[in-house]
Amino acid sequence: MTIAAFLTPDKWLQSDGGPRYVQLRERLTEGVDQGLLKAGSPLPPEREIASITELSRVTVRKAIQALARDGIIIQKQGSGSFVASHAPQIEQSLSRLTSFSEDMSRRGMSSTSVWLERGVYMPSPDEVLALALSPDDSVSRIARLRTADGKPMAIERASLSTEMLPNPLLVETSLYEVLGQAGFRPVRALQKISAINLEEDNAALLDVAPGKAGLRIERTSYLADGRTVEFTQSIYRGDAYNFVAELRLAKE
């Protein structure tokens, strides 16, 4: 069925069915649920939807804005409206210290990266503190968008001393694999998890609407001798991750 046939008003628009923009929103949602409007595909322009449905452009615009608020579509300035992609649900244990690549491989999923930054820089005050550096030291940074089976999942920004990672260009897939080859794979880590609303730039990278729920995770990992290996700040999609921790009753 074509989009035009699906949106023909005599099939769904009712005079007593409530506000017209609500009926159009529900009809477009049905199109997404049925796979007629596929993830990542563009919505027809407002003018075209108005012509097909015989509704005003104001009504069409209200329906599209409601879909954007619900996270069903994403509006990109200058490009139009697109059906939002739905990331696979990942259940992540907080008791295991693994890399993103290892996590996805264990689940039989393909992980890829889009590089955002990779090089050696002067450290920021936060990096100096987290990595126990002197102000004159350099820091290796790698930042990338992580995907699973082609779906954007997280933005990772890792900082390491040049002792642990002298050449960031060596990291092609798994950071922990490169660290392990050099004898610097961490054995423990401290993580802090915070709930956030995604800002526009991060939302665009993660292919969700600005303001949607996300998770900020700060990880500081250590070697067995106590030296700091990495300081990583990550932004995760809130609709993709469930973090699980096993708790035991404390002995009195």
Side-chain angles (χ1 to χ4, degrees):
M1 181 182 294
T2 65
I3 297 295
F6 181 77
L7 291 178
T8 300
D10 59 6
K11 296 182 179 180
W12 55 273
L13 189 61
Q14 300 176 6
S15 59
D16 59 352
R20 292 188 168 195
Y21 86 90
V22 173
Q23 294 186 63
L24 177 57
R25 182 194 66 188
E26 292 174 349
R27 186 63 172 173
L28 289 170
T29 300
E30 288 178 16
V32 173
D33 292 340
Q34 294 174 17
L36 185 62
L37 294 167
K38 299 185 182 300
S41 65
L43 244 60
E46 284 182 11
R47 181 179 302 169
E48 183 178 338
I49 294 176
S51 176
I52 295 170
T53 61
E54 301 175 5
L55 298 173
S56 70
R57 291 188 65 178
V58 172
T59 299
V60 173
R61 187 173 301 117
K62 285 183 67 176
I64 291 175
Q65 289 171 343
L67 290 171
R69 286 195 300 270
D70 293 340
I72 296 173
I73 67 167
I74 297 172
Q75 293 180 295
K76 299 181 179 180
Q77 188 171 4
S79 300
S81 300
F82 297 80
V83 179
S85 62
H86 297 285
Q89 287 290 314
I90 301 296
E91 190 170 278
Q92 176 67 49
S93 171
L94 291 175
S95 62
R96 295 171 60 93
L97 180 55
T98 56
S99 70
F100 181 89
S101 301
E102 292 167 341
D103 286 338
M104 297 306 107
S105 177
R106 195 171 70 251
R107 293 174 170 85
M109 302 173 74
S110 173
S111 65
T112 56
S113 299
V114 177
W115 288 102
L116 307 174
E117 181 182 38
R118 185 164 45 163
V120 176
Y121 305 89
M122 293 301 295
S124 69
D126 287 343
E127 290 168 332
V128 169
L129 183 62
L131 298 172
L133 302 175
S134 71
D136 296 330
D137 288 336
S138 297
V139 65
S140 294
R141 289 187 198 141
I142 57 173
R144 48 191 169 166
L145 174 67
R146 308 307 303 267
T147 69
D149 287 347
K151 303 294 185 183
M153 300 289 285
I155 303 165
E156 288 184 350
R157 300 183 183 276
S159 303
L160 304 91
S161 70
T162 52
E163 176 189 2
M164 301 295 171
L165 184 65
N167 183 6
L169 298 180
L170 293 175
V171 181
E172 296 182 354
T173 53
S174 172
L175 169 61
Y176 280 14
E177 181 180 340
V178 173
L179 292 173
Q181 292 170 354
F184 293 135
R185 185 184 176 100
V187 298
R188 68 180 183 90
L190 296 177
Q191 286 196 153
K192 180 173 124 179
I193 303 176
S194 306
I196 62 170
N197 294 108
L198 294 170
E199 297 178 354
E200 188 170 352
D201 54 347
N202 289 329
L205 288 171
L206 294 172
D207 199 20
V208 298
K212 296 296 285 184
L215 294 169
R216 175 185 287 117
I217 300 179
E218 290 187 359
R219 173 191 286 185
T220 306
S221 63
Y222 304 89
L223 297 176
D225 62 10
R227 284 183 294 166
T228 304
V229 180
E230 63 162 335
F231 173 58
T232 298
Q233 298 173 297
S234 302
I235 303 292
Y236 286 79
R237 288 179 61 144
D239 62 348
Y241 270 83
N242 294 311
F243 287 90
V244 180
E246 180 181 357
L247 306 178
R248 297 180 183 273
L249 186 65
K251 295 181 180 180
E252 296 184 359

